Amino acid sequence: MSVFWTNIDKLQLVCIFISSFLISRVLIVAKIPERLVLYLIGKKHLPISTIIFYVIFASALLSFFIPNVITVLTLLPMIKILRRMFEESLPHRYKALETIFPLSIIYGANIGGMGSITGTPANGIMVLYATFYKLPGLEYLNFQYWLLWGVPLVLVFILAAWFVLSAAFRLWTYQNELVQVTFSETQAFHPLQRTAIRLTTLSFLLFVLLSVLMKTSEAKLGVLFISVFLTLLLIVVLFLIPLRGNHGGTSGRLLTIRDCYSNLPWRGLVFVGVILVILGLGALLNLEEVIMRFFERMVRVNIPASLLFPLIALLTSFSTELFSNTVVQVAMFTVVARLLGDSGLIAFHAFLIITLSCTNAFMTPIATGVNGLAFGEMKGISLSTMLIAGLLMKLFGVAIIAFGTPLLVGWVLS
């Protein structure tokens, strides 16, 4: 029974994952990606730099509330449409832009998870570790406090990502290039489009509220039952109940079983599967001990906090490009706990920097499932460009996390 209570929040995450996946399929079936592209390019005629900013922002916003992988599954269809538009309109200059679209959702999806306590598994691991070892500052690890430092952090990261991609791809040189939409308004129409948007908004709001209640309420079992009920209700509404379209009348059901597996990014999912196998082999070879010994040699007891924070941010950020985020996070927690012991908020800052740095992963396809999914699915993406832009983004991220996090947390807790 104790195992059940320990994992009750994880059971809720399963409900959120299922619901988010179904909602992502609804958005695709209802042609929301086509509608967004038509709006951004066909009506607003936005320059590519602005479109990239919107994609990063949308990806970060979605991953703020739903699992990062689901965010990528939701946005990949829109990215593919955008790529096709630019390829047809700018054939002589398109090759240089092939990589920027998948990178924009990779950056946004990784960034958004930093913003809320439920954003990534790494955040949950920190909460569990702090609770088990009674880490100083544990009382501040709740949904409300995390938002206060997480939201500004995410906004700064979004601006940094936009700057890095704009500089790496010289987007200012495309300001006068006009991109034409090659599909009509009727091809971006679905009779249940508005219904899909309303249902998506309502579902996100409800599960955000339930995530907050799971962290703050004593009645966790009741919150879990509500989460399960809403997930089952969503399944019934999507698969069994005929709904009315935009112009009245019955238009049919929002989803079929076929919609759940058709047009999935199978190539990207296979790539992620290969990454998981590699990580599994690393676990069998006990790489965690090797990483821990390496960290212990790198981090010394007499390092001042002003140098310790950038050092652990650098070590964690670059290690997550090659090893499992969870392995790196736990190894760094163990080393820093031995180093700092019971040193109050300095230890709290260090643990938070480690946790956020686990998501500061932009360089390699194997860094996160998000990176692997987008890289594996999108043809033509340049690995060398991903590495160079990702390195620049990672260095910006290390600076933001190492110096910005203590300032933000100190401001919130003052």
PDB file of all heavy atoms in Angstrom, residues 20-40:
ATOM      1  N   SER A  20      -3.269  13.877 -22.987  1.00  0.00           N
ATOM      2  CA  SER A  20      -2.509  14.784 -23.851  1.00  0.00           C
ATOM      3  C   SER A  20      -2.286  14.169 -25.228  1.00  0.00           C
ATOM      4  O   SER A  20      -2.376  14.860 -26.253  1.00  0.00           O
ATOM      5  CB  SER A  20      -1.165  15.115 -23.204  1.00  0.00           C
ATOM      6  OG  SER A  20      -1.346  15.705 -21.946  1.00  0.00           O
ATOM      7  N   PHE A  21      -1.987  12.872 -25.251  1.00  0.00           N
ATOM      8  CA  PHE A  21      -1.788  12.203 -26.536  1.00  0.00           C
ATOM      9  C   PHE A  21      -3.072  12.246 -27.374  1.00  0.00           C
ATOM     10  O   PHE A  21      -3.034  12.558 -28.580  1.00  0.00           O
ATOM     11  CB  PHE A  21      -1.367  10.748 -26.315  1.00  0.00           C
ATOM     12  CG  PHE A  21      -1.291   9.941 -27.583  1.00  0.00           C
ATOM     13  CD1 PHE A  21      -0.233  10.111 -28.470  1.00  0.00           C
ATOM     14  CD2 PHE A  21      -2.298   9.043 -27.910  1.00  0.00           C
ATOM     15  CE1 PHE A  21      -0.175   9.378 -29.655  1.00  0.00           C
ATOM     16  CE2 PHE A  21      -2.246   8.308 -29.090  1.00  0.00           C
ATOM     17  CZ  PHE A  21      -1.181   8.471 -29.959  1.00  0.00           C
ATOM     18  N   LEU A  22      -4.209  11.951 -26.748  1.00  0.00           N
ATOM     19  CA  LEU A  22      -5.480  11.967 -27.480  1.00  0.00           C
ATOM     20  C   LEU A  22      -5.806  13.369 -27.981  1.00  0.00           C
ATOM     21  O   LEU A  22      -6.272  13.539 -29.117  1.00  0.00           O
ATOM     22  CB  LEU A  22      -6.604  11.442 -26.582  1.00  0.00           C
ATOM     23  CG  LEU A  22      -6.511   9.958 -26.198  1.00  0.00           C
ATOM     24  CD1 LEU A  22      -7.624   9.590 -25.226  1.00  0.00           C
ATOM     25  CD2 LEU A  22      -6.570   9.072 -27.435  1.00  0.00           C
ATOM     26  N   ILE A  23      -5.550  14.372 -27.139  1.00  0.00           N
ATOM     27  CA  ILE A  23      -5.802  15.757 -27.554  1.00  0.00           C
ATOM     28  C   ILE A  23      -4.892  16.131 -28.729  1.00  0.00           C
ATOM     29  O   ILE A  23      -5.317  16.825 -29.667  1.00  0.00           O
ATOM     30  CB  ILE A  23      -5.595  16.718 -26.371  1.00  0.00           C
ATOM     31  CG1 ILE A  23      -6.736  16.591 -25.364  1.00  0.00           C
ATOM     32  CG2 ILE A  23      -5.485  18.154 -26.848  1.00  0.00           C
ATOM     33  CD1 ILE A  23      -8.090  17.004 -25.879  1.00  0.00           C
ATOM     34  N   SER A  24      -3.640  15.679 -28.697  1.00  0.00           N
ATOM     35  CA  SER A  24      -2.734  15.976 -29.810  1.00  0.00           C
ATOM     36  C   SER A  24      -3.256  15.380 -31.107  1.00  0.00           C
ATOM     37  O   SER A  24      -3.133  15.991 -32.178  1.00  0.00           O
ATOM     38  CB  SER A  24      -1.330  15.445 -29.504  1.00  0.00           C
ATOM     39  OG  SER A  24      -1.269  14.031 -29.584  1.00  0.00           O
ATOM     40  N   ARG A  25      -3.846  14.186 -31.045  1.00  0.00           N
ATOM     41  CA  ARG A  25      -4.409  13.566 -32.246  1.00  0.00           C
ATOM     42  C   ARG A  25      -5.649  14.326 -32.712  1.00  0.00           C
ATOM     43  O   ARG A  25      -5.899  14.460 -33.916  1.00  0.00           O
ATOM     44  CB  ARG A  25      -4.771  12.100 -31.977  1.00  0.00           C
ATOM     45  CG  ARG A  25      -3.638  11.235 -31.461  1.00  0.00           C
ATOM     46  CD  ARG A  25      -2.355  11.408 -32.236  1.00  0.00           C
ATOM     47  NE  ARG A  25      -2.461  10.951 -33.616  1.00  0.00           N
ATOM     48  CZ  ARG A  25      -1.561  11.155 -34.549  1.00  0.00           C
ATOM     49  NH1 ARG A  25      -0.479  11.864 -34.281  1.00  0.00           N
ATOM     50  NH2 ARG A  25      -1.734  10.695 -35.771  1.00  0.00           N
ATOM     51  N   VAL A  26      -6.436  14.837 -31.759  1.00  0.00           N
ATOM     52  CA  VAL A  26      -7.623  15.630 -32.113  1.00  0.00           C
ATOM     53  C   VAL A  26      -7.211  16.881 -32.883  1.00  0.00           C
ATOM     54  O   VAL A  26      -7.822  17.240 -33.899  1.00  0.00           O
ATOM     55  CB  VAL A  26      -8.411  16.015 -30.838  1.00  0.00           C
ATOM     56  CG1 VAL A  26      -9.452  17.097 -31.157  1.00  0.00           C
ATOM     57  CG2 VAL A  26      -9.101  14.798 -30.253  1.00  0.00           C
ATOM     58  N   LEU A  27      -6.186  17.568 -32.414  1.00  0.00           N
ATOM     59  CA  LEU A  27      -5.729  18.788 -33.078  1.00  0.00           C
ATOM     60  C   LEU A  27      -5.303  18.508 -34.511  1.00  0.00           C
ATOM     61  O   LEU A  27      -5.550  19.318 -35.420  1.00  0.00           O
ATOM     62  CB  LEU A  27      -4.567  19.396 -32.292  1.00  0.00           C
ATOM     63  CG  LEU A  27      -4.901  19.933 -30.897  1.00  0.00           C
ATOM     64  CD1 LEU A  27      -3.650  20.418 -30.195  1.00  0.00           C
ATOM     65  CD2 LEU A  27      -5.929  21.057 -30.981  1.00  0.00           C
ATOM     66  N   ILE A  28      -4.667  17.365 -34.719  1.00  0.00           N
ATOM     67  CA  ILE A  28      -4.219  17.011 -36.068  1.00  0.00           C
ATOM     68  C   ILE A  28      -5.398  16.651 -36.955  1.00  0.00           C
ATOM     69  O   ILE A  28      -5.495  17.098 -38.106  1.00  0.00           O
ATOM     70  CB  ILE A  28      -3.206  15.849 -35.989  1.00  0.00           C
ATOM     71  CG1 ILE A  28      -1.927  16.335 -35.295  1.00  0.00           C
ATOM     72  CG2 ILE A  28      -2.891  15.311 -37.382  1.00  0.00           C
ATOM     73  CD1 ILE A  28      -0.994  15.241 -34.888  1.00  0.00           C
ATOM     74  N   VAL A  29      -6.326  15.836 -36.426  1.00  0.00           N
ATOM     75  CA  VAL A  29      -7.507  15.443 -37.201  1.00  0.00           C
ATOM     76  C   VAL A  29      -8.343  16.664 -37.569  1.00  0.00           C
ATOM     77  O   VAL A  29      -8.875  16.761 -38.688  1.00  0.00           O
ATOM     78  CB  VAL A  29      -8.350  14.426 -36.397  1.00  0.00           C
ATOM     79  CG1 VAL A  29      -9.714  14.214 -37.051  1.00  0.00           C
ATOM     80  CG2 VAL A  29      -7.612  13.097 -36.277  1.00  0.00           C
ATOM     81  N   ALA A  30      -8.450  17.629 -36.650  1.00  0.00           N
ATOM     82  CA  ALA A  30      -9.255  18.825 -36.888  1.00  0.00           C
ATOM     83  C   ALA A  30      -8.531  19.870 -37.733  1.00  0.00           C
ATOM     84  O   ALA A  30      -9.040  20.985 -37.920  1.00  0.00           O
ATOM     85  CB  ALA A  30      -9.676  19.442 -35.560  1.00  0.00           C
ATOM     86  N   LYS A  31      -7.323  19.531 -38.226  1.00  0.00           N
ATOM     87  CA  LYS A  31      -6.548  20.399 -39.126  1.00  0.00           C
ATOM     88  C   LYS A  31      -6.164  21.734 -38.491  1.00  0.00           C
ATOM     89  O   LYS A  31      -6.112  22.768 -39.161  1.00  0.00           O
ATOM     90  CB  LYS A  31      -7.322  20.637 -40.424  1.00  0.00           C
ATOM     91  CG  LYS A  31      -7.589  19.356 -41.207  1.00  0.00           C
ATOM     92  CD  LYS A  31      -8.235  19.646 -42.541  1.00  0.00           C
ATOM     93  CE  LYS A  31      -8.443  18.347 -43.335  1.00  0.00           C
ATOM     94  NZ  LYS A  31      -9.052  18.578 -44.654  1.00  0.00           N
ATOM     95  N   ILE A  32      -5.868  21.690 -37.202  1.00  0.00           N
ATOM     96  CA  ILE A  32      -5.399  22.898 -36.526  1.00  0.00           C
ATOM     97  C   ILE A  32      -4.030  23.330 -37.059  1.00  0.00           C
ATOM     98  O   ILE A  32      -3.781  24.535 -37.236  1.00  0.00           O
ATOM     99  CB  ILE A  32      -5.354  22.691 -35.006  1.00  0.00           C
ATOM    100  CG1 ILE A  32      -6.745  22.303 -34.479  1.00  0.00           C
ATOM    101  CG2 ILE A  32      -4.857  23.949 -34.303  1.00  0.00           C
ATOM    102  CD1 ILE A  32      -7.825  23.315 -34.746  1.00  0.00           C
ATOM    103  N   PRO A  33      -3.088  22.405 -37.342  1.00  0.00           N
ATOM    104  CA  PRO A  33      -1.801  22.848 -37.923  1.00  0.00           C
ATOM    105  C   PRO A  33      -1.977  23.619 -39.225  1.00  0.00           C
ATOM    106  O   PRO A  33      -1.339  24.663 -39.438  1.00  0.00           O
ATOM    107  CB  PRO A  33      -1.050  21.528 -38.144  1.00  0.00           C
ATOM    108  CG  PRO A  33      -1.602  20.598 -37.120  1.00  0.00           C
ATOM    109  CD  PRO A  33      -3.055  20.959 -37.037  1.00  0.00           C
ATOM    110  N   GLU A  34      -2.847  23.118 -40.123  1.00  0.00           N
ATOM    111  CA  GLU A  34      -3.090  23.826 -41.389  1.00  0.00           C
ATOM    112  C   GLU A  34      -3.687  25.205 -41.138  1.00  0.00           C
ATOM    113  O   GLU A  34      -3.318  26.184 -41.799  1.00  0.00           O
ATOM    114  CB  GLU A  34      -4.029  23.007 -42.271  1.00  0.00           C
ATOM    115  CG  GLU A  34      -3.418  21.753 -42.870  1.00  0.00           C
ATOM    116  CD  GLU A  34      -3.509  20.550 -41.963  1.00  0.00           C
ATOM    117  OE1 GLU A  34      -3.801  20.711 -40.755  1.00  0.00           O
ATOM    118  OE2 GLU A  34      -3.280  19.430 -42.432  1.00  0.00           O
ATOM    119  N   ARG A  35      -4.604  25.277 -40.162  1.00  0.00           N
ATOM    120  CA  ARG A  35      -5.239  26.552 -39.851  1.00  0.00           C
ATOM    121  C   ARG A  35      -4.208  27.555 -39.325  1.00  0.00           C
ATOM    122  O   ARG A  35      -4.228  28.745 -39.698  1.00  0.00           O
ATOM    123  CB  ARG A  35      -6.342  26.331 -38.814  1.00  0.00           C
ATOM    124  CG  ARG A  35      -7.048  27.583 -38.318  1.00  0.00           C
ATOM    125  CD  ARG A  35      -7.719  28.356 -39.429  1.00  0.00           C
ATOM    126  NE  ARG A  35      -8.728  27.555 -40.124  1.00  0.00           N
ATOM    127  CZ  ARG A  35      -9.424  27.973 -41.179  1.00  0.00           C
ATOM    128  NH1 ARG A  35      -9.193  29.188 -41.664  1.00  0.00           N
ATOM    129  NH2 ARG A  35     -10.316  27.190 -41.761  1.00  0.00           N
ATOM    130  N   LEU A  36      -3.283  27.099 -38.475  1.00  0.00           N
ATOM    131  CA  LEU A  36      -2.262  27.986 -37.931  1.00  0.00           C
ATOM    132  C   LEU A  36      -1.320  28.485 -39.024  1.00  0.00           C
ATOM    133  O   LEU A  36      -0.968  29.670 -39.060  1.00  0.00           O
ATOM    134  CB  LEU A  36      -1.463  27.253 -36.852  1.00  0.00           C
ATOM    135  CG  LEU A  36      -2.159  27.061 -35.503  1.00  0.00           C
ATOM    136  CD1 LEU A  36      -1.323  26.172 -34.594  1.00  0.00           C
ATOM    137  CD2 LEU A  36      -2.436  28.396 -34.835  1.00  0.00           C
ATOM    138  N   VAL A  37      -0.905  27.586 -39.914  1.00  0.00           N
ATOM    139  CA  VAL A  37      -0.015  27.994 -41.006  1.00  0.00           C
ATOM    140  C   VAL A  37      -0.721  28.986 -41.921  1.00  0.00           C
ATOM    141  O   VAL A  37      -0.124  29.988 -42.352  1.00  0.00           O
ATOM    142  CB  VAL A  37       0.455  26.755 -41.798  1.00  0.00           C
ATOM    143  CG1 VAL A  37       1.185  27.171 -43.072  1.00  0.00           C
ATOM    144  CG2 VAL A  37       1.358  25.882 -40.936  1.00  0.00           C
ATOM    145  N   LEU A  38      -1.975  28.730 -42.220  1.00  0.00           N
ATOM    146  CA  LEU A  38      -2.746  29.652 -43.051  1.00  0.00           C
ATOM    147  C   LEU A  38      -2.833  31.025 -42.403  1.00  0.00           C
ATOM    148  O   LEU A  38      -2.722  32.057 -43.076  1.00  0.00           O
ATOM    149  CB  LEU A  38      -4.151  29.087 -43.289  1.00  0.00           C
ATOM    150  CG  LEU A  38      -5.046  29.862 -44.253  1.00  0.00           C
ATOM    151  CD1 LEU A  38      -4.479  29.829 -45.667  1.00  0.00           C
ATOM    152  CD2 LEU A  38      -6.468  29.289 -44.242  1.00  0.00           C
ATOM    153  N   TYR A  39      -2.992  31.051 -41.081  1.00  0.00           N
ATOM    154  CA  TYR A  39      -3.088  32.321 -40.364  1.00  0.00           C
ATOM    155  C   TYR A  39      -1.746  33.053 -40.345  1.00  0.00           C
ATOM    156  O   TYR A  39      -1.663  34.255 -40.616  1.00  0.00           O
ATOM    157  CB  TYR A  39      -3.567  32.069 -38.930  1.00  0.00           C
ATOM    158  CG  TYR A  39      -3.621  33.314 -38.074  1.00  0.00           C
ATOM    159  CD1 TYR A  39      -4.673  34.231 -38.198  1.00  0.00           C
ATOM    160  CD2 TYR A  39      -2.616  33.579 -37.145  1.00  0.00           C
ATOM    161  CE1 TYR A  39      -4.706  35.375 -37.415  1.00  0.00           C
ATOM    162  CE2 TYR A  39      -2.647  34.725 -36.363  1.00  0.00           C
ATOM    163  CZ  TYR A  39      -3.701  35.618 -36.504  1.00  0.00           C
ATOM    164  OH  TYR A  39      -3.732  36.758 -35.735  1.00  0.00           O
ATOM    165  N   LEU A  40      -0.678  32.318 -40.037  1.00  0.00           N
ATOM    166  CA  LEU A  40       0.636  32.945 -39.880  1.00  0.00           C
ATOM    167  C   LEU A  40       1.207  33.453 -41.200  1.00  0.00           C
ATOM    168  O   LEU A  40       1.805  34.532 -41.264  1.00  0.00           O
ATOM    169  CB  LEU A  40       1.627  31.957 -39.253  1.00  0.00           C
ATOM    170  CG  LEU A  40       1.364  31.540 -37.812  1.00  0.00           C
ATOM    171  CD1 LEU A  40       2.347  30.463 -37.394  1.00  0.00           C
ATOM    172  CD2 LEU A  40       1.449  32.730 -36.869  1.00  0.00           C
TER     173      LEU A  40
END
